[in-house]
Amino acid sequence: MRQSRETAPRVALSRRAFARGVAGAAAVAAAGQAAFAPGAAAGGRRGASFFDETTLWDSEVDPLENYHVHALTVLPDDTVLAVTEGRYEVCDAGPRALLLRRSTDGGDTWEPTRTVVPSVDGESWGNPALLADGRTGEVFLFFMLSLRLPGNTSCSGDSGDLWVVSSTDGGATWGEQRPLPGLFDGFPYDWALHGPGPGHGIQLDSGRLLLNCLHRRVIVGNSAPERFYGVASVYSDDHGATWRATGEVPVEVDYPINEARVFQRSDGTVVVNGRAAAGGNRQRIVSVSRDRGLTWSRPALDGSTGRFNAVDASLARYTGGPGSTDVDRILFSRPDSPVRTNMTVSVSYDEGHSFRYSRVVNEGRSFYSELARLSDGTILLLYGCDGELASAPRRVAVCRFSLDWLTGGRDSLGGGPGYQEEVTDLAAGGTVSGGVLTSVADPLARGGARAVFTPSAPGGWVAYTVTAPRTATYDLLLRYVRPEEGGLLTVTVDGRRPRTAVLDTTAESVGGYDVAQLGPHELTAGRHTVRFTVTGPGRGGGSLLSLDALSLITAAGRADVREESVVDNDDVGYEVVGGVWSPATGVPGYWSGNYRTAPAGTGAGVVRWRPVVPQDGRYRIDVSYTPHENRAGDAPYTVRGAGGTRTVRVDQRLAGSPEPRGGTWASLGGFDLAAGLWTTVELSDDADGFVVADAVRLTRLA
């Protein structure tokens, strides 16, 4: 349901007058940390389940070319501040001003746009991030001034200086903007660009103000790996009178962390969760701090938030946190797709280790997003959306919705999620057969350590005893590590396979954590044996197994699980068997970053996909391709598996079914498949036109 696309008043201004603007508004509580009335019902003014949307900026109506990259915060009186970059060009380093819209009634109506930081003589002000001190009432807006070197022909700045401006009167006026020079001079990476956020910072339980900042070297003369992308935050322990730099997340080329968010867990740990600067269809990069942001662990990928287009995404605490007796809830928003479409919001009940429920807000083009909440529990989502450009939105909208709406009635502030989790730490207590089990300290593990099992041969296993507190149907959630040398894992519970029983633990690119919903499983009260067996090499050829934690979860509703396995033409599990298959992007409608093509041939040109089949059963196999008149009318897909071989020819001149998450899909039909890596899908050039190899997807039917 989409409602109320435009309720905000509009002011007709020339572009020159618009750039000069006037001073704006303020806030007193950090986004994601705003105070709220205990026990207040979600959406008390609008009913238990609701959703509405208002457009704040629209490039087809408003005076500037584009509006992109945002910040959001909510005051204790439910005044809302939304900030965006007003762009004179569709360019990250072109002339940009920082624009504010303000609502004093929780988003029912919005004041006209104000310019907080104008662009004078083409100045490029960007990366807005709001951080409010809930103890003093002062709100800080951080941003950077971006500059390009003469040899830079890209649309990204080489250097960026950190600036701040603040307000102490609830949004009536802003003070003078001031630079924050020299904060990052002591780092050994020759960083030149220092970008706050974007989005929002937080106030920790100690009162410390903390804001993540991204950094890199200049573009001119440096390849992407040589730019040393990284994060080092800024903090203040004196209510913003002075600001200092934290230590950096250790800089590693394999983990080029960029635009990020921070949040604090109930145990005081601070988490930074950021996008990969390298782009692509990636998992997020995470690091943790045990000393309230001063020092950080080594980074790693983390699959808790899924795999999607590397884009700025928002994390915010909704309830709970240090010292709270309320349910711990963390919200997460992103375009849940390999491309920038399908804006989705999810909720976690285990401090961001996994996200149980999700709902799509907008299936169309979706870009940067920001989250906050009102005192009655209403969730606010500020995000860019729509338009024809793949890199920037046509408009910026703010949505309001209840927790009840987000979870489809499975959770509400009044009733709660009924969520209970029994966690077994797999770093210790395992018994083994046919291998060696060790424990490795790791601050990213739930208990501070993880198990590493090295089998001596296929069939080696490690087993644990888990205890079910009562007889019930539990959702089994496994958190594990995917190293580059990961093996093929089969899980059994008391000798029975759960619904998802087989995992390839090979890393997609570099190592990191992932989660697997093993499915609902009925357990009697008492002790049970869970066995993890390395049944063979993973698709990367390795056999290592690394385990973190196994959770037995009961809740008011089942977790949202997408029972599918997708292998793209750039993924582990795709290989060229013969011939030359060239990458291409000329025809839209492909899954992820590109597709591969080969001209008509004799059948010697072959590509192969090896999807993971999680359990014996019936599956539909779909293939994605980009249709065109020069395509093959008889592209031969051959499915080989335990049940035999079948070839299905597909007319790639005809359009398949496009989906919000990307790809143009056609079905090869239903197949009975055996669990594991036995199934392959092959495509050859034995056809009457160009053959397109994009992605293959298995979807469970029963």
Side-chain angles (χ1 to χ4, degrees):
M1 179 175 64
R2 305 282 297 283
Q3 299 176 4
S4 184
R5 282 185 171 263
E6 181 54 57
T7 63
R10 301 212 179 270
V11 178
L13 295 174
S14 70
R15 295 196 178 195
R16 183 176 181 185
F18 189 83
R20 291 176 178 172
V22 293
V28 290
Q33 297 288 108
F36 61 95
R45 292 175 295 176
R46 288 168 286 273
S49 181
F50 70 92
F51 175 96
D52 64 57
E53 180 179 289
T54 299
T55 298
L56 296 186
W57 293 279
D58 189 332
S59 58
E60 292 187 355
V61 178
D62 292 310
L64 296 187
E65 290 296 327
N66 189 243
Y67 304 86
H68 186 36
V69 186
H70 327 292
L72 181 69
T73 197
V74 176
L75 313 186
D77 66 355
D78 282 344
T79 293
V80 186
L81 300 180
V83 177
T84 196
E85 295 176 6
R87 299 185 170 197
Y88 292 76
E89 304 168 1
V90 183
C91 176
D92 286 346
R96 295 176 293 173
L98 299 183
L99 312 178
L100 169 74
R101 292 200 68 172
R102 181 174 182 263
S103 172
T104 59
D105 53 15
D108 287 340
T109 60
W110 293 84
E111 296 173 359
T113 294
R114 305 176 183 183
T115 302
V116 178
V117 182
S119 175
V120 178
D121 297 328
E123 291 171 327
S124 184
W125 301 100
N127 276 57
L130 288 163
L131 173 54
D133 190 329
R135 300 184 182 184
T136 67
E138 186 169 10
V139 61
F140 301 88
L141 173 62
F142 291 85
F143 47 95
M144 72 173 177
L145 176 61
S146 183
L147 300 172
R148 279 182 287 188
L149 293 173
N152 186 347
T153 59
S154 77
C155 212
S156 296
D158 286 287
S159 63
D161 294 328
L162 186 64
W163 290 69
V164 68
V165 65
S166 68
S167 173
T168 59
D169 59 8
T173 59
W174 292 88
E176 289 190 22
Q177 61 193 55
R178 56 189 177 95
L180 295 173
L183 288 180
F184 309 105
D185 289 351
F187 293 90
Y189 310 108
D190 196 24
W191 284 333
L193 184 143
H194 314 293
H200 68 267
I202 61 173
Q203 187 163 27
L204 306 183
D205 57 334
S206 64
R208 171 173 291 168
L209 302 175
L210 181 68
L211 174 72
N212 57 286
C213 290
L214 61 94
H215 313 275
R216 63 165 165 77
R217 301 172 73 186
V218 300
I219 289 176
V220 174
N222 290 309
S223 65
E226 293 170 335
R227 293 172 195 163
F228 294 159
Y229 290 95
V231 162
S233 303
V234 295
Y235 74 99
S236 176
D237 288 333
D238 55 12
H239 305 290
T242 59
W243 294 92
R244 299 176 181 176
T246 71
E248 76 273 32
V249 173
V251 174
E252 299 186 27
V253 171
D254 287 337
Y255 303 99
I257 189 169
N258 189 248
E259 295 163 326
R261 297 293 188 278
V262 290
F263 69 93
Q264 188 177 26
R265 289 181 172 146
S266 293
D267 65 0
T269 301
V270 181
V271 181
V272 62
N273 178 300
R275 65 174 283 188
N281 185 30
R282 298 284 299 273
Q283 291 178 338
R284 303 278 283 181
I285 301 169
V286 300
S287 176
V288 298
S289 172
R290 304 292 184 185
D291 55 11
R292 289 175 167 78
L294 296 183
T295 60
W296 297 89
S297 70
R298 288 188 61 188
L301 296 185
D302 192 328
S304 64
T305 50
R307 186 174 177 217
F308 59 96
N309 184 266
V311 65
D312 180 57
S314 186
L315 279 151
R317 178 166 293 282
Y318 182 68
T319 57
S324 173
T325 59
D326 203 348
V327 175
D328 286 310
R329 298 180 178 94
I330 302 288
L331 301 176
F332 180 58
S333 62
R334 79 285 188 195
D336 185 19
S337 166
V339 292
R340 295 185 177 186
T341 61
N342 208 50
M343 178 56 63
T344 303
V345 180
S346 303
V347 59
S348 169
Y349 301 97
D350 58 8
E351 299 287 51
H353 292 297
S354 68
F355 287 80
R356 185 172 182 83
Y357 304 133
S358 300
R359 188 151 186 178
V360 175
V361 172
N362 183 350
E363 291 186 344
R365 287 197 185 274
S366 304
F367 300 87
Y368 285 28
S369 59
E370 240 311 64
L371 288 161
R373 59 159 292 162
L374 299 175
S375 62
D376 67 353
T378 297
I379 300 165
L380 300 180
L381 171 71
L382 181 72
Y383 76 112
C385 57
D386 302 347
E388 299 303 319
L389 298 177
S391 60
R394 192 203 87 195
R395 68 187 182 96
V396 179
V398 62
C399 302
R400 300 181 301 178
F401 48 90
S402 62
L403 180 64
D404 184 277
W405 181 88
L406 171 62
T407 63
R410 292 168 289 186
D411 186 13
S412 66
L413 289 184
Y419 181 90
Q420 292 186 326
E421 179 184 21
E422 299 291 329
V423 180
T424 299
D425 186 349
L426 303 181
T431 58
V432 300
S433 173
V436 177
L437 181 67
T438 59
S439 180
V440 176
D442 187 344
L444 291 173
R446 291 195 67 169
R450 55 184 171 86
V452 177
F453 177 60
T454 305
S456 55
W461 53 260
V462 54
Y464 297 86
T465 297
V466 301
T467 302
R470 64 186 185 283
T471 299
T473 298
Y474 292 88
D475 286 335
L476 307 184
L477 178 72
L478 175 66
R479 189 169 191 260
Y480 64 103
V481 172
R482 297 180 67 173
E484 295 180 51
E485 62 271 41
L488 187 68
L489 166 66
T490 298
V491 184
T492 59
V493 182
D494 297 331
R496 296 183 296 131
R497 290 183 175 185
R499 183 167 178 84
T500 294
V502 178
L503 302 170
D504 181 1
T505 68
T506 305
E508 284 290 350
S509 54
V510 293
Y513 283 81
D514 212 338
V515 291
Q517 295 278 0
L518 303 182
H521 202 85
E522 186 173 345
L523 298 174
T524 57
R527 295 155 62 91
H528 300 269
T529 300
V530 180
R531 179 177 291 182
F532 301 96
T533 304
V534 179
T535 49
R539 287 172 294 184
S543 60
L544 198 68
L545 180 61
S546 186
L547 304 170
D548 180 20
L550 179 69
S551 298
L552 308 183
I553 299 169
T554 56
R558 296 266 76 87
D560 292 328
V561 179
R562 199 179 275 132
E563 290 195 306
E564 65 180 25
S565 175
V566 179
V567 181
D568 189 37
N569 64 82
D570 283 327
D571 287 347
V572 171
Y574 169 87
E575 61 181 323
V576 176
V577 179
V580 176
W581 295 77
S582 303
T585 58
V587 180
Y590 46 88
W591 176 264
S592 196
N594 59 32
Y595 54 93
R596 309 281 170 159
T597 66
T602 62
V606 178
V607 293
R608 177 184 298 146
W609 295 265
R610 295 177 69 201
V612 180
V613 179
Q615 180 59 284
D616 297 344
R618 184 78 172 170
Y619 294 82
R620 186 182 71 244
I621 300 181
D622 299 320
V623 295
S624 176
Y625 59 89
T626 57
H628 192 272
E629 61 186 11
N630 72 354
R631 304 293 195 237
D634 57 351
Y637 291 89
T638 299
V639 179
R640 306 181 190 276
T645 300
R646 187 200 313 177
T647 297
V648 179
R649 290 189 176 266
V650 174
D651 189 346
Q652 293 189 339
R653 299 167 302 181
L654 303 179
S657 300
E659 296 185 4
R661 296 174 58 230
T664 305
W665 300 89
S667 176
L668 301 184
F671 296 80
D672 292 318
L673 303 178
L677 292 173
W678 306 108
T679 298
T680 65
V681 180
E682 293 182 353
L683 174 63
S684 85
D685 62 3
D686 178 20
D688 58 9
F690 277 90
V691 182
V692 172
D694 186 17
V696 166
R697 178 178 65 196
L698 306 186
T699 303
R700 191 160 185 169
L701 296 177

